[in-house]
Structure formats: C-alpha cells, structure tokens
Amino acid sequence: MESSVVVGQRMRAVLDVALRVPSLFITDAILNFPHDASAGFLSLLLQLTLRLLGVAASIVVLVLSRRALFKFYMITTALGLAATSVLVNYHATLHLNFYRASSSVAFGLEFLPTNGPSLWMTLIILQLIFGIGFITLLQVQSYSQLIILDLLIPTVGLIIEFPLGVQQLLVFVSALVLILYTASCLVFRFKWFYYSTKYTVLLLKHMYQVYGMQLMVEDAWKKIHFPDVLRVFWLTRLATQAVFFFNMVRLSSSEAGEVSYFIPWNDIWDLVSSLIINGCDSTLTVLGMSAVISSIAHYLGLGILAFIGSTEEEDKRLGFVAPVLFFILALQTGLSGLKPEERLVRLCRNMCLLLTAVLHFIHGMTDPVLMSLSASHVSSYRRHLPVLLVSAFLFVLPVLLSCVLWHYYALNTWLFAVTAFCVELCLKVIVSLTVYTLFMIDGYYNVLWEKLDDYVYYVRSTGSIIEFVFGVIMFGNGAYTMMFESGSKIRACMMCLHAYFNIYLQARNGWKTFMNRRKAVKKINSLPEVNGLESRKIDDVCAICYQEFHTSARITPCHHYFHALCLRKWLYIQDTCPMCHQKVQIDDDSKENASVSNNNGFVAPHEEPAPPDVDQEADQELDEQNLSEDESVECDEEEWTTEPHNSTSEEHNSDDTDSLGE
C-alpha cells in the first residue's frame, strides 16, 4: 500500500514537471525569434508587445498550481482538437478528389484511402474522435450531440457531392458554430478563472505579509519544481538538437557516398562543440545548464561527505553554490551574447574558474573533519585515510591544472586568476595538514603541550594572511579586467562584494582575533600566580578542565583559581570569569589588593586576606536585604555556587573545542 502511494506521488511529481516544460520552450522560442531591424516603429512596437504578452502568458502557465495546470491543458487540448477538426474539413473540401479519393498534398505522400466508402469512414471516424475528445476535455454538459453533428456536416456535404461553393459554406458555418460555442463555454468558465486568480493573489499577499518576500519566493520555487523543470527543458532541448545534428551529419555523409550508422571520430568533436555552444545561447538555456550543474554538484558533494564520514548539513550546499557561481560568471562575462567560437572558449574558462571554486568548497568540507579527527585523537586509520586522500587530491589536482593551463595558454588575467586560486588552495591544504599534524603529535605523546594553542594560531594566522593577500591581488586583477578588457555593471558589483567579504571582513576579523589574544595574554600575565607546593595545597580543581593544580594556578580579581592555559583560552572568547561571570578587569595594583581565596574560600599560605572595602560591604548588605525578601541567603548561595559552575564549564568545554577546531 505504501509503495503504491509513493509511486503515485512520484508519478504526479513527474507529470507536474512535464506539464511545465512546454512553457519554457515557448519562452525560449519567443526570446530567440529574430526581429527585423529595418521595420518601422509601429511594427517594432507591435512585435515587442506580442513578445511580452507571450512571455507573460508562459510565465503564468509556469506558476499555475497542479490542478489549474491540468485544467489549462485540458482546455488547450480541446481547442487544438477543434482547430484540427476544422482544418481536416477544409482540407477534405478543397484538396480531395472524391472519386480518386486520395491526396498527395502533405509531404507528397498518399495518406488517405483510394476508394469512396473508405474515405467516408475515415473522415467520419476522425470527426467522431475529434468531437468526443472535444466535449470530454471541455466537460460539455449540454448540446454535446449537436457539437458532434456540427463537425460531421461538412463530411455529409462531401458525400452528397454538393457544389464546391456549398461545401465551403458548410465548412465555414460549422467552424463558426464551433467557435461561438467554444467562446460561450470559456465565458462561463471565466468565473472559475477569476476566483482562482483572486485566491492565488490573496494567498501570495498573505504569505508576503506573514513570511516575507524571500520565503514566498522559496515556497513558489519548490511548489513548481523549477530546478527540475529547467533541467528537463535543457536536457530535452539538447537531445533534440543532438538528433537533428546527427541526422544532418548522416545526410551529408550519404551525399558524399558514405553510408554509415555511426558518426566519424573527426565529426564527434564538432557535434559536441555545437551542442555545448547552443546549450548556452540564451539566458534561459544558461539557467538550464546551471540546473544540470546543480544536480551534478549536489551528488558530488553527497558522495564526498559519505566518503569522508561527515554529517554536517551545512556542507550539503555544494548543489546550491556551484550553479549560482556558474550563472554569475555567465552574466559577468556575457556568455549568451558572444559569438559561437568565442562562447565556447569563454565557457571553458568559466568552467575552470568554477572547478577551482568547487575545490575550495570541498576543502571547506574536509577541513572540519580533519580537525575533529586529530583533536579527538581517533586512532582508527580507516577514519583518517579517506580525509587524507581527499586532502592529497585537493593538493595534486590544482597543481596539475595549473601546469596544463600554463603549457597551452599565454599569461592573461583569466589564467592569472585560475593560478592564484590554485596556489591559494594548495596553501590552505598545507595549513590544514600542518594543524592536523600538530594535534596528532599532541595526542601521540599524551602530555600537556602548553604551546600547542600558540603554534596552531601561528599556522592559521599565516594561512589567513596569505589568503588576505591573494584576495587583494584578485581584487587588483578584477579591477584591471574591468578597466581594460571587459567592464560591466555585474563585474563591478561582484568586485564590491569581494572587497567587502574577502578583504574588509577578513581583515577586521583577523585584527579582532589578534587583539583578543593580545588582551587575554596581558590579563593572564597581570593576574596573581600560585606556584610550587602552594598550588598543590589548594583543595579544589580548575572549573574549566576539572583537573587538579599540580604546577601553578592563576587567581582572578573575583578570587577564583584556574589553570593559566585554560583561563587564556576562555579569555580568547569572552572577558568574564567562568565561575561568576564578572568582568576580568585588571588594575595596576591588583596584585597588591587582590585576595587569593579560591573557589572554596582557601587562602594561600603566607598571605592574609585583604580587608573588606566599605563600599563592598554596603553593597553586600543591600544584596542580602533584597535576597531575604524571597528566600534564605543559604539557598541562594548554593544555587550561585553550583549552577553557574556547571553551565560555565559546559559552555567553556564547547567553546574550547571550537577554538581547537579553528
């Protein structure tokens, strides 16, 4: 039962996509239809108006609901059957010789029987089929028999052998009656069309008011299966052109005296080139190619995620990123408006740029997995080997691509951009493998490596600086291309986005991280320290790592003990105490006035607690008075010392892991 339901749903989805594809073919034909530039102003205005109306009608059909789409095609098919019936009657009246009873008008072939009774039966059966189909699809409730009789009247006139003028009059009257009846049916159905349109508009208005424009567009995008429609449109168009080109090659071979069912090898490249060139000759076909690239990239990303053992949902966006980049590159370079030879070259260059971008995205998928395996000290080689193989592939492939391109092409802005992306990717892989090696060494020796965090920061900072430098270089390369080669508004917009995201934000975040680390180190060095035997006498553990104090400990101004390394990692993220969430602010004389009591009130040897401040005592009395109104001071102190301890420890553990992963 469940399998039949699933099959039914899939069949409805396939039919939903198939019924929307013809509207794209009509739109593509309208947009690619040649226009006469020598025509007058009124003629050009009329052509433009008809094109806009045709495109608007195709878009309306594209976004119809499934039920409305079925009704539209039923009405369209009914109108097609009616028109075909009228044309058959007209053709039989003007072009058929009844006694010869054959016709050679269409394609020079005799397609009707050669005797009178057979001709009668053929025409009557055809008109019955057209009439029954018309009244069924149009859902005619009344006068259905009269409609069928109306379609048979011209055939009756042909059988009775009325004069030619009378036969033509019968055809005209039959067509006029059919047109009037069809128009009346459509007028009565206009009420349904009006309410359906009004309901759709109100629904879209409600979704826009509640969810916004973005969610409304996404919902419509999913309901009409637009990527699948684009994909089927492009593949169907490509297959049709392939069949046409194949027949053309066979026809030219037969004229040359070579009869073969296979294409010669020297003609295969020409065939493939022609298909690729015609596959991106308009904006609509570029969208279709982007949809095909989306499907390929989606399954490629899923395969890589399964191979490296990642389950991150954010890494499954390759099927969205790749087509968007391809479409932006196509718009930026004016791909569809180029000449056929230039279009093929530009498409190959865009695909090289897209390949490097996809490789960068794959590196972003593998780097977190590589860091998690090394930081968690996973000892299984089967977990490490796939990620290392992908990393090696990401290093070797850009090197090979750069060597091949430099061997066949001279230096230009495009080759410089591809090479820069390849070098940047190789450096990213080296940085990831270096950090991976540092974590593996730390796990192998199983000894606290206090300098590990600094080494990881140095390596990643070096990689970030190199990436920032390459971003500046690519901005200069794009500026040179825009000024001296091919400037466009889209290229200018992309350069602005690149300058903001890849240069400004990266520099700001890098400087912020550097200042946070510098501030954290300064705070750690300013805090009082307990060393040697005194640290071992502390009857407590570090609230961050839950380990005892064997060598030394740092004391915050709020009188809590922590390991210096643990507290430094915590202060990289936020400047509050992990225990009480007070600001860790260091004064110049903090070492002199700070009390050195730990989490349990322990006082370090050879030291005396600092005398309480008058303001602090007043604040404490005021707090105690406020707390005594609700519940006892002891309960509040217990909650204060237990809940923050657990929550902050858990928060720091997660933040510490994130900092190691970075």
Side-chain angles (χ1 to χ4, degrees), residues 407-424:
H407 180 72
Y408 288 101
Y409 296 95
L411 178 62
N412 52 25
T413 55
W414 162 76
L415 183 58
F416 182 80
V418 175
T419 306
F421 284 136
C422 291
V423 173
E424 182 183 0

Side-chain angles (χ1 to χ4, degrees), residues 241-255:
Q241 292 179 350
V243 172
F244 176 76
F245 290 147
F246 178 77
N247 292 329
M248 291 294 294
V249 171
R250 285 189 57 190
L251 182 61
S252 61
S253 300
S254 62
E255 291 178 354

Side-chain angles (χ1 to χ4, degrees), residues 22-52:
S23 60
L24 290 184
F25 276 102
I26 295 174
T27 305
D28 183 63
I30 293 174
L31 295 178
N32 292 332
F33 188 80
H35 63 279
D36 188 9
S38 61
F41 175 75
L42 293 178
S43 178
L44 291 177
L45 183 61
L46 180 61
Q47 292 181 11
L48 180 61
T49 304
L50 292 177
R51 288 191 178 192
L52 291 177

Side-chain angles (χ1 to χ4, degrees), residues 259-287:
V259 180
S260 177
Y261 293 98
F262 300 98
I263 302 177
W265 285 105
N266 53 357
D267 294 334
I268 292 180
W269 171 247
D270 295 335
L271 177 61
V272 174
S273 301
S274 300
L275 291 176
I276 294 175
I277 291 172
N278 293 323
C280 54
D281 57 352
S282 65
T283 305
L284 195 58
T285 53
V286 170
L287 281 173

Side-chain angles (χ1 to χ4, degrees), residues 89 92-93 96-99 115-125 127 151-163 166-167 170-171:
N89 285 331
T93 302
L96 287 181
N97 187 346
F98 175 73
Y99 292 101
N115 56 73
S118 299
L119 177 61
W120 302 344
M121 296 303 298
T122 303
L123 291 177
I124 291 174
I125 291 173
Q127 294 300 331
L151 297 178
L152 291 175
I153 286 177
T155 305
V156 174
L158 182 65
I159 295 173
I160 300 176
E161 300 181 11
F162 285 144
V166 177
Q167 293 181 12
L170 291 176
V171 172

Side-chain angles (χ1 to χ4, degrees), residues 303-310 315 362 365-367 369 373 383 386-387 390:
I304 293 175
L305 289 177
F307 182 70
I308 64 179
S310 176
D315 294 337
I362 294 175
M365 295 163 54
T366 58
D367 183 69
V369 180
L373 290 176
R383 292 290 309 277
V387 188
V390 174

Side-chain angles (χ1 to χ4, degrees), residues 11 23 32 58 76 87 106 133 173 189 232 258 313 368 418 468 491 520 545 596 602:
M11 290 298 296
S23 60
N32 292 332
S58 301
T76 305
L87 291 176
V173 172
R189 289 178 177 270
V232 173
E258 299 177 0
E313 291 293 332
V418 175
F468 174 78
R491 186 183 294 274
C545 65
V596 291
F602 174 77

